[in-house]
Amino acid sequence: MKPYNPEQISRHMSRLLNWILLLACLTAGQLSALYAAESDTPLHAAAELFKSKKFDQKYQAIQLLESDGSEQAKEILVALMDSRLYTLKRDQRLIMLGRRSGSPGAVDALTGDSVGDVARGAMNKITLNNRMRSQIRNALAMLDLRNPDRLKRLAAVNQLLDRPDAASAALIQSLLEQESDEQIREAMEIVIALGKLSSGDKTERLAAVELLDGNIHPAVRNGLLKLQQSTDDEAFAAEIKQVLDNIKATLQFYSLVENIFFGLSLGSVLVLAAIGLAITFGVMGVINMAHGELIMLGAYATYVMQLLMPEHIGAALLLSIPVAFVISGLVGIGIERGVIRFLYGRSLETLLATFGISLILQQTVRSIFSPLNRSVEAPSWMSGSWEINSALSLTLNRLYIIAFCLLVFAALFLVLKRTPLGLQVRAVSQNRAMARAMGVRSEWVDAMTFGLGSGIAGVAGVALSQLTNVGPNLGQSYIIDSFMVVVFGGVGNLWGTLVSGMGLGIANKFLEPWSGAVLAKILVLVFIILFIQKRPRGLFPQKGRAAEG
Amino acid sequence: MGLLKLLQQDRGGQVFLGLLALAAVLVPLLNQLLPESHALHLSTYTVTLLGKYLAFALLAIAVDLAWGYLGILSLGHGAFFALGGYAMGMYLMRQIGERGVYGDPVLPDFMVFLNWDALPWFWYGFDMFWFAALMVMLAPGLLAFVFGWLAFRSRVTGVYLSIMTQALTYALMLAFFRNEMGFGGNNGLTDFKELLGFDLQADSTRIGLFVVTALMLALGYIVCRAIVQSRLGRVAVAVRDAEDRTRFVGYRVEHVKLAIFTFSAVLAGIAGALYVPQVGIINPGEFSPLNSIEIVIWVAVGGRGTLYGAAAGALMVNYGKTYLTGALPEVWLFALGALFVLVTILLPRGLIGLMKRRGATS
Amino acid sequence: MNSLDNLRAVMRRDRVFDFMLQTTGLEVDLSHGTILYLEDISVSFDGFRAINDLNLYIDAGELRCIIGPNGAGKTTMMDIITGKTRPDKGSAHFGQNINLLQLSEPEIAQAGIGRKFQKPTVFEYHTVFENLELSMAGERRIWPTLTAQLDGAQRQHIDEVLEIIALQAHRDRNAGALSHGQKQWLEIGMLLMQNPKLLLVDEPVAGMTHQEMERTAELLTALAGDHTVVVVEHDMDFIRSIARKVTVLHQGSVLAEGSMDEVQNDPRVVEVYLGGNCSLGGHQTPSLAPQRHRGHRG
């Protein structure tokens, strides 16, 4: 403990300041009440005031507690907020009940001495109204503003931002100089400026308005709007309008950014679901209607992993990525070896057979896991959001999905471009007979390629499990979308799939507010149907004679 | 005379039409004349069930015409079927009149429930049977025409086309689920009372519907057979087998496809219109992609490219479905899935093809 | 009301197929004696110029052979004439009056240009007779096709063609069951049924025996005069037996044109065939002596 801690000194100073303020507040009408109480500290004064039935006096009491600023005052305020503050009937002492209801041991609010169990009938509750509640919240925030913990101070100032009032603005002014944290200072300045908006001095008001220019906190907008309506000065009103317009433009920009973000996250889901298909359908030309069910298997793999490791949700999620890849990949290879291999060159039959497989997989899952939806838990590091400012916050799980999608895409791209398997896959897809003549085991390549595409579907399932419930019909709802993404992007073109998936996602999100979610989906579908009629080979077609026919 | 000539070479068709005629006579007799205790008595429920199968058989013939002869694997014929069904359903809704729960003389119950105060324009005219009957053909026909015109002109073929048709029916399903569409949303159209003045619950009406469905199936078969036997039918098969060659011979492939595809859609619409009064409900579930693809498997099981085979496939698979969903509900999807896989791998020509091959070898 | 009328017009059942009517029933105008004009045609696939400023004129009634190494653009040229591929630039006219670049494949076929593909394509699930029936010149619209019946004269015509292509015995067999050479014949028969003014014949004798080749040569020579025949072949024997005028294509444009002898002795042609890693044989023979270059000939 250092004897001359500057913070402590400043706290004493501010307490002194509060005292002066308090004295100013207590004008003649209230003085009598104050004298009546044996008031040696603000706490005692407040305690006396609380015993009054009048709300006016209670407001003062809260103010007193706030200016006192001690831990005890804070505790009393919290107790009051929670309706745990009572007066004892027998000696009018102010007491606080324990935090948990029914917990024994009320204590004297002023001295902290235990008063033991008190029967319900032996005490009177200090009643609250809404104005008091809001006053208490602000008072608590003011108290927190002096807290050494940075995060507490930040939360407190944000609390004040939501319900700014002139009194707290004046108090904050005194705290501003001691505040070292830039972010908190900024927020404090806004509170002060908001307070000054109602100041009588015109230049001060104008300065406040200018200070608030470009600030997107909702409180700023509300304050300015109120001022705009109340002011008679037209030039001033125009000034406010200009500032408000700036704020609106900024807000619009952020909502655009937010929409694009939502669109990208939806697009990432689409790309994840479609990218495996881009391999099996695009590169191999095999139409796999069971692709959606491979996604579903991946989602169920995540669910099972969480069942196996209930203590480590996050680790289970990470582990389920390789597990889902392997499971879906193996099932995919099974499908290729067991069915599709007999149907090469007969794409319509392949479509039907794989559809049959999708029915079987669905029903299998239904028999094992029941037809009900299962929910997969999100690990703590995936929940929450990244608040960039008060108008824009990006939810973490969506951010992760976007990042994950790009990661999977990049990995797949590297596999196809940089590994021997990728080389062989491309060779087989371009000219099977030639590749075979060159010694490529085309059957093995087929199985591996299909396994790869299916495995990616499983990985997509892991991602999907974080967004929706896991059920037997999960895959069905994605299969048509996935095909649309692949066809729209141009079959056989991974970049096309990425662009079309993201594009469709964004288009969907921008249509949604205008048309509603279902109609947006229909419109996008109809758009693709029409688009494919116009450009049958998609956005990025493969050209040349080889692509004909 | 023309009919006889048409069927002269068509042994399978003769058998099929013969059996159909027999059923059209026998089923009502077994229902009406035999006492309920008799072993051969057919309950009215069974008659309606058979009528439903026959409507499905007509639908299967429509799909076979497009797939078996034209090479267009439509995964969206369920949409045409449902549109025909909705057109009929709208007529039946208007016939309810004041007997609805809310007793509104004009507005169907669901509209009253949604607080609509007037009939949407597209419901006008459906109180007249002829208009509804026209719409049964026009609505699916027009959709198929527009869709086909766009798709065939830009030469979308093969699996692309199949997926587009699937997307079409999927989009329609989503649309019809919306209450705002004005087709009863989720619940669809139901609680029908009467058709052309006949009580839909009455045995006689149900038998009548069965017979009419059998007649329409026979008629549909004969018309399809006539198309298939004509030069146009041969051109269609030529399109299926060598589209480019057909073009260079001078046929406008797009027009051939469009004509037959549209006709097939109309036929599917008629099947839907026959189906709805027998089952008593039409809802957006009929648009589901699964339904459409199930139709394809009926055709594949029976044998595509033989119209009666498609009809037979529809009857067999649906009987199997009724039996299995009743006796072992969880097995049905396994069975259906296995059917898809086995038929495509082992029976590319379907059961009829198998029988033909047996007949040829022995 | 106008829109209602339009709607009515669209809804009329008897007019549904109205727009399918043949819009281009133009008879080809051969008054200048030239049946095919290809001028300044270029087309590229993915940066590769398959046809490069091609100029080619074919006289009416001519029998023209077109040779050239692989990749010279022979098939692409046929694709352009028949409307399968659209050129990036240039013009293609059929006679004086028909702009081929504005017509679709069936319209071009109906205008009188028939084509035999490099790989024989016949309708495999139709009988030989039906193949010929479908190719028969005449009505192509939907409704007439639906109601069409063969009359006696037409049957006789088909039987005549069957005789020419020597497939009478296979009249009712599925075309898919024919041998490679028979399919080639059937396709030629289909061309005959179409009765086109201009026949484009891509590698007609691949897979034929020597006798069959001779018969084909006879047939094509006989056709010339009434019809115009353009033959693309690799087989120099065959070309020599029928050729009057030969055009050599190289890298998408005409390298040389003239009689077989002239062409054979043209140093540029020799250079192309020998220097350009030719597909015509690879023997070090300075002239284009008759050579068999395909091993699969049976």
Side-chain angles (χ1 to χ4, degrees):
Chain A
M1 282 293 158
K2 288 174 199 163
Y4 289 108
N5 186 336
E7 210 166 68
Q8 260 179 7
I9 294 174
S10 76
R11 274 177 66 180
H12 288 299
M13 295 272 290
S14 71
R15 204 180 282 187
L16 194 73
L17 199 86
N18 290 344
W19 260 108
I20 299 165
L21 207 84
L22 174 73
L23 286 173
C25 289
L26 304 175
T27 43
Q30 286 106 24
L31 272 172
S32 58
L34 196 59
Y35 278 120
E38 27 179 299
S39 53
D40 51 337
T41 68
L43 279 184
H44 284 98
E48 283 310 311
L49 287 170
F50 275 132
K51 288 168 195 163
S52 159
K53 290 266 181 248
K54 288 184 187 145
F55 279 116
D56 272 351
Q57 307 218 339
K58 290 189 200 171
Y59 299 153
Q60 283 173 30
I62 294 170
Q63 238 159 10
L64 278 171
L65 286 176
E66 182 186 334
S67 58
D68 177 74
S70 64
E71 275 304 305
Q72 199 184 359
K74 195 173 158 190
E75 221 170 290
I76 296 173
L77 280 175
V78 172
L80 180 60
M81 192 72 177
D82 298 350
S83 303
R84 288 185 286 114
L85 200 63
Y86 291 83
T87 47
L88 271 182
K89 275 184 184 163
R90 63 182 131 91
D91 54 7
Q92 291 292 299
R93 261 200 301 172
L94 201 59
I95 57 161
M96 287 189 288
L97 297 190
R99 272 197 182 266
R100 276 168 300 164
S101 60
S103 79
V107 292
D108 186 305
L110 293 177
T111 59
D113 299 336
S114 172
V115 285
D117 276 342
V118 185
R120 283 268 156 198
M123 53 193 186
N124 285 324
K125 188 148 98 183
I126 311 279
T127 50
L128 276 169
N129 67 3
N130 274 345
R131 178 166 162 197
M132 276 173 79
R133 286 195 185 91
S134 138
Q135 203 189 356
I136 296 169
R137 267 194 289 268
N138 277 2
L140 286 172
M142 290 301 293
L143 292 177
D144 274 339
L145 276 178
R146 303 191 192 96
N147 198 301
D149 185 353
R150 183 187 160 273
L151 285 177
K152 278 239 171 92
R153 292 204 303 275
L154 188 62
V157 76
N158 278 335
Q159 153 83 26
L160 284 174
L161 258 180
D162 287 341
R163 276 174 297 271
D165 57 47
S168 45
L171 283 173
I172 279 188
Q173 184 82 59
S174 64
L175 293 170
L176 182 63
E177 282 130 52
Q178 303 141 23
E179 185 54 64
S180 52
D181 188 280
E182 199 49 45
Q183 199 183 354
I184 299 175
R185 279 182 72 97
E186 223 171 281
M188 283 175 152
E189 275 165 6
I190 298 171
V191 178
I192 294 166
L194 280 171
K196 281 186 183 154
L197 281 182
S198 44
S199 139
D201 181 9
K202 194 183 158 191
T203 46
E204 205 166 69
R205 272 195 320 216
L206 208 58
V209 168
E210 261 155 34
L211 186 73
L212 291 173
D213 193 354
N215 198 298
I216 49 169
H217 198 281
V220 174
R221 247 185 107 206
N222 289 339
L224 287 175
L225 274 174
K226 243 184 249 163
L227 189 58
Q228 190 188 19
Q229 281 154 10
S230 61
T231 186
D232 307 326
D233 186 345
E234 264 181 37
F236 187 48
E239 180 85 5
I240 297 175
K241 188 175 178 300
Q242 177 62 40
V243 171
L244 274 174
D245 284 349
N246 285 350
I247 292 175
K248 208 171 153 194
T250 318
L251 280 178
Q252 264 168 355
F253 169 73
Y254 282 124
S255 91
L256 183 77
V257 171
E258 190 175 41
N259 249 341
I260 291 178
F261 171 72
F262 279 138
L264 283 180
S265 73
L266 178 66
S268 302
V269 173
L270 288 177
V271 170
L272 275 173
I275 200 160
L277 207 65
I279 294 181
T280 52
F281 182 44
V283 180
M284 296 175 71
V286 165
I287 190 139
N288 180 16
M289 295 297 277
H291 184 78
E293 277 59 38
L294 294 170
I295 296 177
M296 172 197 74
L297 284 185
Y300 270 101
T302 318
Y303 169 70
V304 172
M305 285 303 286
Q306 287 203 347
L307 283 189
L308 293 178
M309 305 168 65
E311 302 298 317
H312 312 280
I313 297 296
L317 186 66
L318 290 179
L319 269 180
S320 39
I321 295 172
V323 168
F325 182 85
V326 169
I327 290 180
S328 291
L330 284 179
V331 172
I333 291 174
I335 294 174
E336 200 275 339
R337 286 289 90 187
V339 176
I340 293 174
R341 141 170 101 110
F342 303 109
L343 297 169
Y344 276 118
R346 292 160 62 196
S347 43
L348 293 182
E349 276 89 343
T350 315
L351 189 158
L352 292 178
T354 48
F355 186 81
I357 295 170
S358 83
L359 290 182
I360 294 175
L361 285 177
Q362 267 180 41
Q363 192 57 31
T364 310
V365 165
R366 226 172 258 138
S367 312
I368 298 175
F369 294 100
S370 99
L372 301 176
N373 278 349
R374 304 287 180 195
S375 72
V376 172
E377 273 178 61
S380 55
W381 44 266
M382 272 196 71
S383 50
S385 60
W386 176 33
E387 285 192 34
I388 294 169
N389 56 40
S390 60
L392 186 64
S393 65
L394 309 179
T395 44
L396 281 180
N397 61 350
R398 287 174 189 274
L399 267 178
Y400 276 111
I401 294 276
I402 295 177
F404 186 62
C405 162
L406 294 177
L407 208 66
V408 170
F409 182 83
L412 199 60
F413 203 76
L414 285 181
V415 165
L416 283 181
K417 293 279 174 201
R418 294 265 186 274
T419 64
L421 173 68
L423 185 67
Q424 295 186 346
V425 167
R426 281 179 292 146
V428 170
S429 79
Q430 278 163 29
N431 189 335
R432 175 172 298 265
M434 188 52 133
R436 285 178 81 132
M438 303 288 286
V440 175
R441 286 152 64 208
S442 69
E443 297 230 323
W444 181 82
V445 172
D446 284 337
M448 284 304 114
T449 317
F450 203 83
L452 179 66
S454 310
I456 298 286
V459 172
V462 178
L464 276 184
S465 73
Q466 291 300 310
L467 293 182
T468 54
N469 282 330
V470 178
N473 295 329
L474 177 73
Q476 241 182 1
S477 42
Y478 281 94
I479 184 73
I480 291 180
D481 289 342
S482 311
F483 270 114
M484 291 295 124
V485 168
V486 175
V487 171
F488 181 57
V491 173
N493 188 331
L494 279 189
W495 285 109
T497 304
L498 183 70
V499 172
S500 86
M502 293 296 183
L504 292 178
I506 292 174
N508 223 329
K509 279 296 164 194
F510 273 87
L511 280 174
E512 253 173 39
W514 172 73
S515 65
V518 178
L519 200 57
K521 203 166 168 163
I522 297 170
L523 287 175
V524 168
L525 271 180
V526 170
F527 164 74
I528 297 175
I529 293 176
L530 291 177
F531 180 87
I532 293 303
Q533 326 273 6
K534 209 81 210 124
R535 294 187 59 172
R537 298 196 180 279
L539 274 180
F540 303 103
Q542 288 188 315
K543 284 190 200 144
R545 284 216 296 198
E548 304 276 324
Chain B
M1 280 313 289
L3 185 62
L4 284 180
K5 210 175 123 197
L6 196 65
L7 295 174
Q8 224 166 28
Q9 311 260 306
D10 182 17
R11 274 291 305 282
Q14 289 167 16
V15 174
F16 172 67
L17 288 178
L19 286 175
L20 200 58
L22 194 68
V25 175
L26 216 55
V27 166
L29 290 182
L30 291 181
N31 173 259
Q32 287 293 301
L33 296 185
L34 292 181
E36 272 179 41
S37 53
H38 196 281
L40 286 177
H41 171 81
L42 284 178
S43 69
T44 309
Y45 171 79
T46 314
V47 173
T48 302
L49 196 64
L50 290 174
K52 192 177 97 174
Y53 291 171
L54 293 187
F56 283 153
L58 184 59
L59 176 59
I61 286 179
V63 170
D64 193 23
L65 187 66
W67 185 29
Y69 292 89
L70 197 55
I72 295 177
L73 174 57
S74 167
L75 300 182
H77 256 58
F80 305 130
F81 179 80
L83 280 179
Y86 264 97
M88 176 57 89
M90 283 160 82
Y91 164 74
L92 295 172
M93 282 311 263
R94 296 290 303 267
Q95 292 303 298
I96 297 174
E98 291 176 359
R99 284 164 291 180
V101 177
Y102 296 106
D104 191 293
V106 179
L107 291 189
D109 276 349
F110 74 88
M111 290 189 197
V112 181
F113 184 74
L114 290 174
N115 290 323
W116 293 14
D117 43 15
L119 209 58
W121 59 269
F122 47 83
W123 276 76
Y124 290 148
F126 278 95
D127 46 342
M128 294 169 282
F129 183 76
W130 66 266
F131 183 82
L134 193 67
M135 282 300 145
V136 160
M137 296 188 274
L138 218 53
L142 212 60
L143 177 67
F145 188 86
V146 172
F147 179 83
W149 189 66
L150 290 168
F152 304 147
R153 205 185 41 151
S154 45
R155 306 205 177 155
V156 180
T157 53
V159 282
Y160 285 86
L161 187 63
S162 302
I163 291 179
M164 287 300 136
T165 54
Q166 189 173 29
L168 175 78
T169 191
Y170 183 59
L172 279 170
M173 176 177 79
L174 292 179
F176 272 71
F177 266 122
R178 288 159 47 87
N179 279 330
E180 297 84 351
M181 275 289 282
F183 294 106
N186 209 353
N187 300 322
L189 310 175
T190 186
D191 283 335
F192 308 133
K193 302 287 188 247
E194 61 185 32
L195 170 69
L196 287 171
F198 297 105
D199 179 9
L200 276 175
Q201 305 305 321
D203 282 8
S204 56
T205 315
R206 295 190 158 238
I207 290 172
L209 278 170
F210 172 81
V211 174
V212 168
T213 311
L215 280 177
M216 288 306 289
L217 176 59
L219 194 66
Y221 176 80
I222 290 167
V223 173
C224 285
R225 183 76 201 164
I227 291 177
V228 166
Q229 288 292 88
S230 75
R231 189 181 294 168
L232 184 65
R234 287 198 282 280
V235 174
V237 174
V239 169
R240 179 192 75 187
D241 294 340
E243 189 170 325
D244 262 349
R245 192 81 193 89
T246 320
R247 256 190 209 112
F248 289 119
V249 167
Y251 291 98
R252 295 191 176 202
V253 167
E254 292 76 24
H255 295 178
V256 174
K257 284 185 176 176
L258 191 55
I260 295 184
F261 186 66
T262 305
F263 176 75
S264 163
V266 169
L267 212 57
I270 295 174
L274 292 167
Y275 166 82
V276 165
Q278 305 196 60
V279 295
I281 183 170
I282 175 86
N283 62 31
E286 295 294 337
F287 283 105
S288 86
L290 176 63
N291 273 24
S292 289
I293 208 164
E294 230 182 279
I295 306 166
V296 172
I297 206 62
W298 305 339
V299 178
V301 166
R304 76 188 132 110
T306 58
L307 295 166
Y308 54 85
L315 299 178
M316 283 186 288
V317 176
N318 278 296
Y319 174 74
K321 181 178 185 173
T322 308
Y323 174 76
L324 276 183
T325 44
L328 305 154
E330 61 283 359
V331 172
W332 163 240
L333 277 182
F334 282 122
L336 187 64
L339 207 57
F340 272 102
V341 177
L342 295 178
V343 166
T344 45
I345 292 182
L346 301 178
L347 284 179
R349 304 255 113 223
L351 288 174
I352 298 293
L354 190 70
M355 278 158 62
K356 272 190 180 164
R357 214 165 46 208
R358 283 274 165 76
T361 49
S362 66
Chain C
M1 276 295 98
N2 194 12
S3 62
L4 189 64
D5 285 342
N6 283 343
L7 187 69
R8 276 208 194 100
V10 171
M11 296 286 190
R12 278 179 64 177
R13 265 324 257 180
D14 55 347
R15 289 177 61 91
V16 160
F17 301 121
D18 188 51
F19 77 99
M20 297 181 179
L21 285 173
Q22 198 172 343
T23 48
T24 48
L26 288 171
E27 188 69 13
V28 59
D29 173 11
L30 299 176
S31 55
H32 286 66
T34 302
I35 195 168
L36 186 69
Y37 300 80
L38 300 181
E39 287 169 340
D40 298 329
I41 289 193
S42 293
V43 65
S44 32
F45 301 119
D46 255 351
F48 167 69
R49 282 216 150 179
I51 298 282
N52 193 3
D53 278 331
L54 175 73
N55 283 284
L56 184 72
Y57 305 92
I58 308 277
D59 291 337
E62 194 184 354
L63 171 57
R64 175 76 65 98
C65 294
I66 294 182
I67 61 172
N70 275 341
K74 301 183 298 284
T75 302
T76 308
M77 184 192 77
M78 291 213 165
D79 283 349
I80 289 172
I81 298 172
T82 51
K84 192 178 180 195
T85 303
R86 297 288 175 199
D88 300 334
K89 70 179 193 66
S91 67
H93 281 86
F94 186 42
Q96 303 298 311
N97 55 340
I98 298 179
N99 181 358
L100 292 174
L101 301 186
Q102 287 174 352
L103 301 185
S104 67
E105 295 110 310
E107 281 165 352
I108 289 171
Q110 286 172 35
I113 298 182
R115 178 179 185 181
K116 194 202 90 57
F117 284 85
Q118 188 172 347
K119 187 177 156 228
T121 37
V122 295
F123 304 128
E124 309 235 326
Y125 283 93
H126 285 304
T127 64
V128 170
F129 185 86
E130 285 169 340
N131 265 280
L132 295 177
E133 183 200 341
L134 288 179
S135 318
M136 187 164 56
E139 198 54 82
R140 292 288 193 260
R141 282 174 292 165
I142 299 294
W143 191 253
T145 312
L146 184 64
T147 53
Q149 296 287 329
L150 283 176
D151 59 27
Q154 287 171 328
R155 276 177 196 285
Q156 206 176 347
H157 181 47
I158 295 177
D159 282 332
E160 281 163 19
V161 171
L162 273 174
E163 205 177 308
I164 294 176
I165 59 176
L167 291 174
Q168 304 103 307
H170 305 288
R171 193 177 185 273
D172 295 319
R173 270 179 79 189
N174 270 0
L178 297 178
S179 73
H180 192 76
Q182 286 170 326
K183 281 183 188 167
Q184 292 273 40
W185 272 109
L186 177 56
E187 214 184 347
I188 292 171
M190 289 163 74
L191 261 187
L192 293 177
M193 292 302 300
Q194 261 180 278
N195 198 20
K197 305 262 182 343
L198 172 64
L199 285 81
L200 305 174
V201 190
D202 203 348
E203 302 202 16
V205 294
M208 283 190 179
T209 63
H210 212 70
Q211 285 98 323
E212 285 174 330
M213 261 166 70
E214 274 169 25
R215 280 233 323 275
T216 312
E218 266 171 45
L219 179 66
L220 292 179
T221 332
L223 282 171
D226 289 345
H227 308 264
T228 311
V229 184
V230 175
V231 180
V232 168
E233 248 306 338
H234 280 299
D235 192 306
M236 287 300 152
D237 263 352
F238 182 74
I239 298 279
R240 188 179 293 281
S241 67
I242 60 167
R244 292 162 204 176
K245 194 171 176 187
V246 177
T247 299
V248 183
L249 284 192
H250 176 57
Q251 291 180 348
S253 48
V254 174
L255 182 71
E257 209 167 72
S259 72
M260 191 65 183
D261 284 337
E262 283 167 22
V263 167
Q264 252 171 323
N265 294 321
D266 189 318
R268 287 175 304 169
V269 177
V270 174
E271 167 66 25
V272 164
Y273 270 87
L274 294 178
N277 196 13
C278 76
S279 64
L280 257 187
H283 295 291
Q284 299 294 320
T285 27
S287 72
L288 295 173
Q291 286 165 4
R292 290 294 182 74
H293 65 282
R294 270 191 230 104
H296 71 268
R297 186 81 37 93

